PDB file of all heavy atoms in Angstrom:
ATOM      1  N   TRP A  91      26.684  63.150  31.924  1.00  0.00           N
ATOM      2  CA  TRP A  91      26.498  64.503  31.400  1.00  0.00           C
ATOM      3  C   TRP A  91      25.479  65.311  32.197  1.00  0.00           C
ATOM      4  O   TRP A  91      25.453  66.541  32.115  1.00  0.00           O
ATOM      5  CB  TRP A  91      26.038  64.433  29.939  1.00  0.00           C
ATOM      6  CG  TRP A  91      26.953  63.687  29.030  1.00  0.00           C
ATOM      7  CD1 TRP A  91      28.315  63.576  29.141  1.00  0.00           C
ATOM      8  CD2 TRP A  91      26.594  62.932  27.865  1.00  0.00           C
ATOM      9  NE1 TRP A  91      28.819  62.802  28.124  1.00  0.00           N
ATOM     10  CE2 TRP A  91      27.791  62.388  27.327  1.00  0.00           C
ATOM     11  CE3 TRP A  91      25.383  62.664  27.229  1.00  0.00           C
ATOM     12  CZ2 TRP A  91      27.796  61.596  26.177  1.00  0.00           C
ATOM     13  CZ3 TRP A  91      25.391  61.872  26.081  1.00  0.00           C
ATOM     14  CH2 TRP A  91      26.582  61.351  25.564  1.00  0.00           C
ATOM     15  N   THR A  92      24.624  64.639  32.962  1.00  0.00           N
ATOM     16  CA  THR A  92      23.485  65.308  33.587  1.00  0.00           C
ATOM     17  C   THR A  92      23.893  66.322  34.647  1.00  0.00           C
ATOM     18  O   THR A  92      23.263  67.380  34.775  1.00  0.00           O
ATOM     19  CB  THR A  92      22.520  64.265  34.185  1.00  0.00           C
ATOM     20  OG1 THR A  92      21.941  63.502  33.120  1.00  0.00           O
ATOM     21  CG2 THR A  92      21.404  64.923  34.978  1.00  0.00           C
ATOM     22  N   GLY A  93      24.952  66.036  35.424  1.00  0.00           N
ATOM     23  CA  GLY A  93      25.358  66.959  36.486  1.00  0.00           C
ATOM     24  C   GLY A  93      25.658  68.351  35.954  1.00  0.00           C
ATOM     25  O   GLY A  93      25.155  69.357  36.473  1.00  0.00           O
ATOM     26  N   PHE A  94      26.479  68.427  34.906  1.00  0.00           N
ATOM     27  CA  PHE A  94      26.786  69.721  34.299  1.00  0.00           C
ATOM     28  C   PHE A  94      25.534  70.324  33.680  1.00  0.00           C
ATOM     29  O   PHE A  94      25.286  71.537  33.795  1.00  0.00           O
ATOM     30  CB  PHE A  94      27.870  69.557  33.233  1.00  0.00           C
ATOM     31  CG  PHE A  94      28.197  70.834  32.506  1.00  0.00           C
ATOM     32  CD1 PHE A  94      29.082  71.747  33.056  1.00  0.00           C
ATOM     33  CD2 PHE A  94      27.611  71.125  31.281  1.00  0.00           C
ATOM     34  CE1 PHE A  94      29.386  72.933  32.396  1.00  0.00           C
ATOM     35  CE2 PHE A  94      27.901  72.305  30.616  1.00  0.00           C
ATOM     36  CZ  PHE A  94      28.792  73.209  31.176  1.00  0.00           C
ATOM     37  N   ALA A  95      24.736  69.476  33.027  1.00  0.00           N
ATOM     38  CA  ALA A  95      23.534  69.968  32.343  1.00  0.00           C
ATOM     39  C   ALA A  95      22.565  70.629  33.320  1.00  0.00           C
ATOM     40  O   ALA A  95      21.948  71.652  33.002  1.00  0.00           O
ATOM     41  CB  ALA A  95      22.851  68.822  31.600  1.00  0.00           C
ATOM     42  N   GLU A  96      22.424  70.067  34.510  1.00  0.00           N
ATOM     43  CA  GLU A  96      21.500  70.638  35.495  1.00  0.00           C
ATOM     44  C   GLU A  96      21.948  72.032  35.935  1.00  0.00           C
ATOM     45  O   GLU A  96      21.125  72.948  36.063  1.00  0.00           O
ATOM     46  CB  GLU A  96      21.393  69.707  36.701  1.00  0.00           C
ATOM     47  CG  GLU A  96      20.603  68.440  36.421  1.00  0.00           C
ATOM     48  CD  GLU A  96      20.564  67.501  37.601  1.00  0.00           C
ATOM     49  OE1 GLU A  96      21.500  67.520  38.423  1.00  0.00           O
ATOM     50  OE2 GLU A  96      19.596  66.727  37.705  1.00  0.00           O
ATOM     51  N   ILE A  97      23.251  72.198  36.164  1.00  0.00           N
ATOM     52  CA  ILE A  97      23.754  73.514  36.590  1.00  0.00           C
ATOM     53  C   ILE A  97      23.632  74.522  35.455  1.00  0.00           C
ATOM     54  O   ILE A  97      23.261  75.682  35.665  1.00  0.00           O
ATOM     55  CB  ILE A  97      25.214  73.395  37.068  1.00  0.00           C
ATOM     56  CG1 ILE A  97      25.302  72.435  38.255  1.00  0.00           C
ATOM     57  CG2 ILE A  97      25.770  74.763  37.455  1.00  0.00           C
ATOM     58  CD1 ILE A  97      26.714  72.147  38.722  1.00  0.00           C
ATOM     59  N   ALA A  98      23.937  74.079  34.230  1.00  0.00           N
ATOM     60  CA  ALA A  98      23.822  74.977  33.078  1.00  0.00           C
ATOM     61  C   ALA A  98      22.373  75.381  32.848  1.00  0.00           C
ATOM     62  O   ALA A  98      22.084  76.553  32.570  1.00  0.00           O
ATOM     63  CB  ALA A  98      24.392  74.299  31.835  1.00  0.00           C
ATOM     64  N   LYS A  99      21.461  74.426  32.958  1.00  0.00           N
ATOM     65  CA  LYS A  99      20.043  74.734  32.727  1.00  0.00           C
ATOM     66  C   LYS A  99      19.524  75.708  33.783  1.00  0.00           C
ATOM     67  O   LYS A  99      18.659  76.542  33.508  1.00  0.00           O
ATOM     68  CB  LYS A  99      19.225  73.442  32.747  1.00  0.00           C
ATOM     69  CG  LYS A  99      17.790  73.610  32.257  1.00  0.00           C
ATOM     70  CD  LYS A  99      17.752  74.007  30.790  1.00  0.00           C
ATOM     71  CE  LYS A  99      16.324  74.244  30.311  1.00  0.00           C
ATOM     72  NZ  LYS A  99      15.565  72.980  30.193  1.00  0.00           N
ATOM     73  N   ALA A 100      20.079  75.625  34.995  1.00  0.00           N
ATOM     74  CA  ALA A 100      19.687  76.543  36.070  1.00  0.00           C
ATOM     75  C   ALA A 100      20.413  77.878  35.976  1.00  0.00           C
ATOM     76  O   ALA A 100      20.225  78.742  36.833  1.00  0.00           O
ATOM     77  CB  ALA A 100      19.962  75.897  37.423  1.00  0.00           C
ATOM     78  N   ARG A 101      21.255  78.040  34.956  1.00  0.00           N
ATOM     79  CA  ARG A 101      22.074  79.250  34.769  1.00  0.00           C
ATOM     80  C   ARG A 101      23.001  79.499  35.958  1.00  0.00           C
ATOM     81  O   ARG A 101      23.406  80.632  36.226  1.00  0.00           O
ATOM     82  CB  ARG A 101      21.193  80.480  34.538  1.00  0.00           C
ATOM     83  CG  ARG A 101      20.287  80.405  33.325  1.00  0.00           C
ATOM     84  CD  ARG A 101      19.379  81.623  33.243  1.00  0.00           C
ATOM     85  NE  ARG A 101      18.418  81.517  32.166  1.00  0.00           N
ATOM     86  CZ  ARG A 101      18.563  82.058  30.954  1.00  0.00           C
ATOM     87  NH1 ARG A 101      19.663  82.739  30.671  1.00  0.00           N
ATOM     88  NH2 ARG A 101      17.630  81.922  30.037  1.00  0.00           N
ATOM     89  N   GLY A 102      23.314  78.455  36.698  1.00  0.00           N
ATOM     90  CA  GLY A 102      24.205  78.582  37.843  1.00  0.00           C
ATOM     91  C   GLY A 102      23.540  79.115  39.093  1.00  0.00           C
ATOM     92  O   GLY A 102      24.197  79.263  40.134  1.00  0.00           O
ATOM     93  N   ARG A 103      22.248  79.396  39.034  1.00  0.00           N
ATOM     94  CA  ARG A 103      21.554  79.951  40.199  1.00  0.00           C
ATOM     95  C   ARG A 103      21.462  78.913  41.312  1.00  0.00           C
ATOM     96  O   ARG A 103      21.113  77.766  41.077  1.00  0.00           O
ATOM     97  CB  ARG A 103      20.151  80.405  39.801  1.00  0.00           C
ATOM     98  CG  ARG A 103      20.149  81.588  38.842  1.00  0.00           C
ATOM     99  CD  ARG A 103      18.774  81.853  38.290  1.00  0.00           C
ATOM    100  NE  ARG A 103      18.782  82.928  37.303  1.00  0.00           N
ATOM    101  CZ  ARG A 103      17.860  83.082  36.365  1.00  0.00           C
ATOM    102  NH1 ARG A 103      16.852  82.230  36.281  1.00  0.00           N
ATOM    103  NH2 ARG A 103      17.942  84.085  35.509  1.00  0.00           N
ATOM    104  N   GLY A 104      21.765  79.372  42.524  1.00  0.00           N
ATOM    105  CA  GLY A 104      21.705  78.480  43.672  1.00  0.00           C
ATOM    106  C   GLY A 104      22.992  77.727  43.926  1.00  0.00           C
ATOM    107  O   GLY A 104      23.055  76.899  44.841  1.00  0.00           O
ATOM    108  N   TYR A 105      24.022  77.984  43.127  1.00  0.00           N
ATOM    109  CA  TYR A 105      25.309  77.307  43.295  1.00  0.00           C
ATOM    110  C   TYR A 105      26.393  78.328  43.637  1.00  0.00           C
ATOM    111  O   TYR A 105      26.306  79.499  43.247  1.00  0.00           O
ATOM    112  CB  TYR A 105      25.700  76.563  42.012  1.00  0.00           C
ATOM    113  CG  TYR A 105      24.768  75.436  41.642  1.00  0.00           C
ATOM    114  CD1 TYR A 105      23.644  75.675  40.844  1.00  0.00           C
ATOM    115  CD2 TYR A 105      24.998  74.142  42.079  1.00  0.00           C
ATOM    116  CE1 TYR A 105      22.779  74.650  40.495  1.00  0.00           C
ATOM    117  CE2 TYR A 105      24.136  73.100  41.728  1.00  0.00           C
ATOM    118  CZ  TYR A 105      23.034  73.364  40.942  1.00  0.00           C
ATOM    119  OH  TYR A 105      22.173  72.343  40.599  1.00  0.00           O
ATOM    120  N   ASN A 106      27.408  77.886  44.347  1.00  0.00           N
ATOM    121  CA  ASN A 106      28.549  78.734  44.685  1.00  0.00           C
ATOM    122  C   ASN A 106      29.271  79.149  43.409  1.00  0.00           C
ATOM    123  O   ASN A 106      29.764  78.310  42.665  1.00  0.00           O
ATOM    124  CB  ASN A 106      29.498  77.958  45.608  1.00  0.00           C
ATOM    125  CG  ASN A 106      30.738  78.756  45.968  1.00  0.00           C
ATOM    126  OD1 ASN A 106      30.926  79.894  45.547  1.00  0.00           O
ATOM    127  ND2 ASN A 106      31.594  78.143  46.771  1.00  0.00           N
ATOM    128  N   ARG A 107      29.355  80.438  43.153  1.00  0.00           N
ATOM    129  CA  ARG A 107      29.903  80.919  41.881  1.00  0.00           C
ATOM    130  C   ARG A 107      31.372  80.560  41.688  1.00  0.00           C
ATOM    131  O   ARG A 107      31.839  80.460  40.560  1.00  0.00           O
ATOM    132  CB  ARG A 107      29.724  82.434  41.769  1.00  0.00           C
ATOM    133  CG  ARG A 107      28.289  82.850  41.512  1.00  0.00           C
ATOM    134  CD  ARG A 107      28.237  84.223  40.898  1.00  0.00           C
ATOM    135  NE  ARG A 107      26.890  84.582  40.497  1.00  0.00           N
ATOM    136  CZ  ARG A 107      26.606  85.595  39.694  1.00  0.00           C
ATOM    137  NH1 ARG A 107      27.582  86.340  39.206  1.00  0.00           N
ATOM    138  NH2 ARG A 107      25.364  85.869  39.362  1.00  0.00           N
ATOM    139  N   GLN A 108      32.106  80.415  42.765  1.00  0.00           N
ATOM    140  CA  GLN A 108      33.530  80.101  42.633  1.00  0.00           C
ATOM    141  C   GLN A 108      33.787  78.601  42.499  1.00  0.00           C
ATOM    142  O   GLN A 108      34.910  78.185  42.227  1.00  0.00           O
ATOM    143  CB  GLN A 108      34.297  80.634  43.854  1.00  0.00           C
ATOM    144  CG  GLN A 108      34.136  82.127  44.077  1.00  0.00           C
ATOM    145  CD  GLN A 108      34.514  82.945  42.854  1.00  0.00           C
ATOM    146  OE1 GLN A 108      35.522  82.683  42.206  1.00  0.00           O
ATOM    147  NE2 GLN A 108      33.700  83.947  42.528  1.00  0.00           N
ATOM    148  N   ALA A 109      32.761  77.811  42.685  1.00  0.00           N
ATOM    149  CA  ALA A 109      32.951  76.359  42.717  1.00  0.00           C
ATOM    150  C   ALA A 109      33.279  75.805  41.334  1.00  0.00           C
ATOM    151  O   ALA A 109      32.673  76.201  40.334  1.00  0.00           O
ATOM    152  CB  ALA A 109      31.704  75.677  43.258  1.00  0.00           C
ATOM    153  N   PRO A 110      34.245  74.882  41.265  1.00  0.00           N
ATOM    154  CA  PRO A 110      34.504  74.206  39.992  1.00  0.00           C
ATOM    155  C   PRO A 110      33.363  73.257  39.652  1.00  0.00           C
ATOM    156  O   PRO A 110      32.756  72.654  40.538  1.00  0.00           O
ATOM    157  CB  PRO A 110      35.807  73.444  40.254  1.00  0.00           C
ATOM    158  CG  PRO A 110      35.854  73.254  41.729  1.00  0.00           C
ATOM    159  CD  PRO A 110      35.152  74.433  42.336  1.00  0.00           C
ATOM    160  N   VAL A 111      33.074  73.156  38.367  1.00  0.00           N
ATOM    161  CA  VAL A 111      31.992  72.289  37.894  1.00  0.00           C
ATOM    162  C   VAL A 111      32.582  71.240  36.959  1.00  0.00           C
ATOM    163  O   VAL A 111      33.187  71.594  35.939  1.00  0.00           O
ATOM    164  CB  VAL A 111      30.916  73.099  37.139  1.00  0.00           C
ATOM    165  CG1 VAL A 111      29.832  72.171  36.598  1.00  0.00           C
ATOM    166  CG2 VAL A 111      30.317  74.158  38.040  1.00  0.00           C
ATOM    167  N   PRO A 112      32.447  69.954  37.274  1.00  0.00           N
ATOM    168  CA  PRO A 112      32.960  68.930  36.356  1.00  0.00           C
ATOM    169  C   PRO A 112      32.140  68.895  35.072  1.00  0.00           C
ATOM    170  O   PRO A 112      30.912  68.826  35.110  1.00  0.00           O
ATOM    171  CB  PRO A 112      32.811  67.630  37.154  1.00  0.00           C
ATOM    172  CG  PRO A 112      31.751  67.911  38.170  1.00  0.00           C
ATOM    173  CD  PRO A 112      31.832  69.367  38.482  1.00  0.00           C
ATOM    174  N   VAL A 113      32.831  68.974  33.951  1.00  0.00           N
ATOM    175  CA  VAL A 113      32.176  68.843  32.648  1.00  0.00           C
ATOM    176  C   VAL A 113      32.230  67.386  32.210  1.00  0.00           C
ATOM    177  O   VAL A 113      31.215  66.791  31.852  1.00  0.00           O
ATOM    178  CB  VAL A 113      32.855  69.748  31.597  1.00  0.00           C
ATOM    179  CG1 VAL A 113      32.172  69.598  30.239  1.00  0.00           C
ATOM    180  CG2 VAL A 113      32.828  71.196  32.055  1.00  0.00           C
ATOM    181  N   LEU A 114      33.429  66.807  32.259  1.00  0.00           N
ATOM    182  CA  LEU A 114      33.643  65.396  31.946  1.00  0.00           C
ATOM    183  C   LEU A 114      34.748  64.861  32.850  1.00  0.00           C
ATOM    184  O   LEU A 114      35.720  65.571  33.130  1.00  0.00           O
ATOM    185  CB  LEU A 114      34.043  65.212  30.478  1.00  0.00           C
ATOM    186  CG  LEU A 114      32.953  65.462  29.421  1.00  0.00           C
ATOM    187  CD1 LEU A 114      33.571  65.527  28.031  1.00  0.00           C
ATOM    188  CD2 LEU A 114      31.877  64.394  29.487  1.00  0.00           C
ATOM    189  N   PRO A 115      34.638  63.606  33.293  1.00  0.00           N
ATOM    190  CA  PRO A 115      35.672  63.050  34.175  1.00  0.00           C
ATOM    191  C   PRO A 115      36.990  62.782  33.464  1.00  0.00           C
ATOM    192  O   PRO A 115      38.032  62.666  34.108  1.00  0.00           O
ATOM    193  CB  PRO A 115      35.046  61.752  34.684  1.00  0.00           C
ATOM    194  CG  PRO A 115      34.052  61.372  33.632  1.00  0.00           C
ATOM    195  CD  PRO A 115      33.522  62.669  33.087  1.00  0.00           C
ATOM    196  N   GLU A 116      36.943  62.673  32.147  1.00  0.00           N
ATOM    197  CA  GLU A 116      38.159  62.475  31.362  1.00  0.00           C
ATOM    198  C   GLU A 116      37.965  63.081  29.978  1.00  0.00           C
ATOM    199  O   GLU A 116      36.843  63.380  29.565  1.00  0.00           O
ATOM    200  CB  GLU A 116      38.513  60.990  31.255  1.00  0.00           C
ATOM    201  CG  GLU A 116      37.441  60.135  30.623  1.00  0.00           C
ATOM    202  CD  GLU A 116      37.790  58.662  30.653  1.00  0.00           C
ATOM    203  OE1 GLU A 116      38.752  58.287  31.355  1.00  0.00           O
ATOM    204  OE2 GLU A 116      37.110  57.881  29.969  1.00  0.00           O
ATOM    205  N   THR A 117      39.061  63.251  29.279  1.00  0.00           N
ATOM    206  CA  THR A 117      39.019  63.888  27.968  1.00  0.00           C
ATOM    207  C   THR A 117      38.502  62.907  26.914  1.00  0.00           C
ATOM    208  O   THR A 117      38.966  61.766  26.853  1.00  0.00           O
ATOM    209  CB  THR A 117      40.426  64.380  27.580  1.00  0.00           C
ATOM    210  OG1 THR A 117      40.866  65.321  28.567  1.00  0.00           O
ATOM    211  CG2 THR A 117      40.422  65.051  26.226  1.00  0.00           C
ATOM    212  N   PRO A 118      37.539  63.315  26.077  1.00  0.00           N
ATOM    213  CA  PRO A 118      37.013  62.422  25.038  1.00  0.00           C
ATOM    214  C   PRO A 118      38.083  61.981  24.042  1.00  0.00           C
ATOM    215  O   PRO A 118      39.103  62.653  23.857  1.00  0.00           O
ATOM    216  CB  PRO A 118      35.941  63.280  24.350  1.00  0.00           C
ATOM    217  CG  PRO A 118      35.544  64.283  25.370  1.00  0.00           C
ATOM    218  CD  PRO A 118      36.800  64.583  26.136  1.00  0.00           C
ATOM    219  N   ARG A 119      37.827  60.864  23.386  1.00  0.00           N
ATOM    220  CA  ARG A 119      38.808  60.265  22.472  1.00  0.00           C
ATOM    221  C   ARG A 119      39.213  61.197  21.340  1.00  0.00           C
ATOM    222  O   ARG A 119      40.382  61.254  20.957  1.00  0.00           O
ATOM    223  CB  ARG A 119      38.234  58.970  21.891  1.00  0.00           C
ATOM    224  CG  ARG A 119      38.075  57.854  22.905  1.00  0.00           C
ATOM    225  CD  ARG A 119      37.492  56.612  22.254  1.00  0.00           C
ATOM    226  NE  ARG A 119      37.294  55.547  23.226  1.00  0.00           N
ATOM    227  CZ  ARG A 119      36.744  54.378  22.931  1.00  0.00           C
ATOM    228  NH1 ARG A 119      36.342  54.138  21.687  1.00  0.00           N
ATOM    229  NH2 ARG A 119      36.596  53.456  23.867  1.00  0.00           N
ATOM    230  N   ALA A 120      38.245  61.915  20.782  1.00  0.00           N
ATOM    231  CA  ALA A 120      38.562  62.797  19.656  1.00  0.00           C
ATOM    232  C   ALA A 120      39.552  63.874  20.075  1.00  0.00           C
ATOM    233  O   ALA A 120      40.470  64.221  19.324  1.00  0.00           O
ATOM    234  CB  ALA A 120      37.283  63.428  19.110  1.00  0.00           C
ATOM    235  N   LEU A 121      39.393  64.393  21.279  1.00  0.00           N
ATOM    236  CA  LEU A 121      40.313  65.420  21.762  1.00  0.00           C
ATOM    237  C   LEU A 121      41.687  64.823  22.056  1.00  0.00           C
ATOM    238  O   LEU A 121      42.718  65.463  21.830  1.00  0.00           O
ATOM    239  CB  LEU A 121      39.748  66.106  23.006  1.00  0.00           C
ATOM    240  CG  LEU A 121      38.738  67.247  22.757  1.00  0.00           C
ATOM    241  CD1 LEU A 121      37.461  66.720  22.105  1.00  0.00           C
ATOM    242  CD2 LEU A 121      38.414  67.976  24.052  1.00  0.00           C
ATOM    243  N   LEU A 122      41.699  63.581  22.547  1.00  0.00           N
ATOM    244  CA  LEU A 122      42.979  62.904  22.772  1.00  0.00           C
ATOM    245  C   LEU A 122      43.730  62.730  21.455  1.00  0.00           C
ATOM    246  O   LEU A 122      44.954  62.875  21.399  1.00  0.00           O
ATOM    247  CB  LEU A 122      42.746  61.534  23.424  1.00  0.00           C
ATOM    248  CG  LEU A 122      42.178  61.518  24.842  1.00  0.00           C
ATOM    249  CD1 LEU A 122      41.937  60.080  25.290  1.00  0.00           C
ATOM    250  CD2 LEU A 122      43.110  62.228  25.817  1.00  0.00           C
ATOM    251  N   ALA A 123      42.981  62.419  20.390  1.00  0.00           N
ATOM    252  CA  ALA A 123      43.597  62.222  19.079  1.00  0.00           C
ATOM    253  C   ALA A 123      44.244  63.501  18.566  1.00  0.00           C
ATOM    254  O   ALA A 123      45.153  63.450  17.729  1.00  0.00           O
ATOM    255  CB  ALA A 123      42.549  61.730  18.078  1.00  0.00           C
ATOM    256  N   ALA A 124      43.779  64.643  19.065  1.00  0.00           N
ATOM    257  CA  ALA A 124      44.356  65.927  18.655  1.00  0.00           C
ATOM    258  C   ALA A 124      45.509  66.345  19.561  1.00  0.00           C
ATOM    259  O   ALA A 124      46.020  67.458  19.437  1.00  0.00           O
ATOM    260  CB  ALA A 124      43.275  67.004  18.658  1.00  0.00           C
ATOM    261  N   GLY A 125      45.906  65.459  20.471  1.00  0.00           N
ATOM    262  CA  GLY A 125      47.049  65.744  21.329  1.00  0.00           C
ATOM    263  C   GLY A 125      46.717  66.407  22.647  1.00  0.00           C
ATOM    264  O   GLY A 125      47.619  66.829  23.379  1.00  0.00           O
ATOM    265  N   ILE A 126      45.439  66.499  22.979  1.00  0.00           N
ATOM    266  CA  ILE A 126      45.043  67.101  24.251  1.00  0.00           C
ATOM    267  C   ILE A 126      45.264  66.084  25.370  1.00  0.00           C
ATOM    268  O   ILE A 126      44.903  64.913  25.222  1.00  0.00           O
ATOM    269  CB  ILE A 126      43.568  67.545  24.193  1.00  0.00           C
ATOM    270  CG1 ILE A 126      43.427  68.675  23.166  1.00  0.00           C
ATOM    271  CG2 ILE A 126      43.068  67.997  25.559  1.00  0.00           C
ATOM    272  CD1 ILE A 126      42.011  69.138  22.951  1.00  0.00           C
TER     273      ILE A 126
END
Side-chain angles (χ1 to χ4, degrees):
W91 303 329
T92 294
F94 177 83
E96 287 177 333
I97 300 175
K99 191 65 183 288
R101 300 176 185 263
R103 293 170 184 157
Y105 296 89
N106 178 0
R107 287 202 173 195
Q108 303 305 316
V111 177
V113 180
L114 289 168
E116 59 185 12
T117 300
R119 292 180 182 177
L121 277 65
L122 294 177
I126 294 176

